[in-house]
Amino acid sequence: MTVQEIRAASAELLDEKAAAALIQVSPGTLSVWRSTGRYGLPFIKIGAKVRYKLGDLQAWLDSRYRSTGATA
């Protein structure tokens, strides 16, 4: 793996603060969602660190899209 490939892969991983900013919630909200399993938002645990894949966050946001007021 080249240095450029490593940088590209690590750029795809967001820390909790960046992930929260992307989906417009607080980092504390993400922490609660992780601990309760609410919404099933995928995350990666690396030691004590938590990371989110940019693609997972985008897919999760897309799955939340509604064209009507229906919640189902």
Side-chain angles (χ1 to χ4, degrees):
M1 187 175 257
T2 68
V3 172
Q4 289 175 331
E5 290 171 330
I6 292 169
R7 284 187 183 146
S10 66
E12 183 182 307
L13 293 179
L14 303 178
D15 64 16
E16 185 175 42
K17 192 172 181 179
L22 179 71
I23 64 172
Q24 300 180 3
V25 300
S26 73
T29 296
L30 279 182
S31 178
V32 169
W33 289 356
R34 273 195 320 274
S35 65
T36 62
R38 186 171 187 178
Y39 298 119
L41 185 57
F43 63 94
I44 300 167
K45 194 78 162 121
I46 306 167
K49 297 177 183 180
V50 175
R51 297 292 183 261
Y52 293 85
K53 285 178 139 183
L54 179 57
D56 287 345
L57 291 170
Q58 290 170 331
W60 183 82
L61 284 172
D62 289 345
S63 76
R64 309 292 302 162
Y65 180 80
R66 301 289 185 262
S67 60
T68 67
T71 58

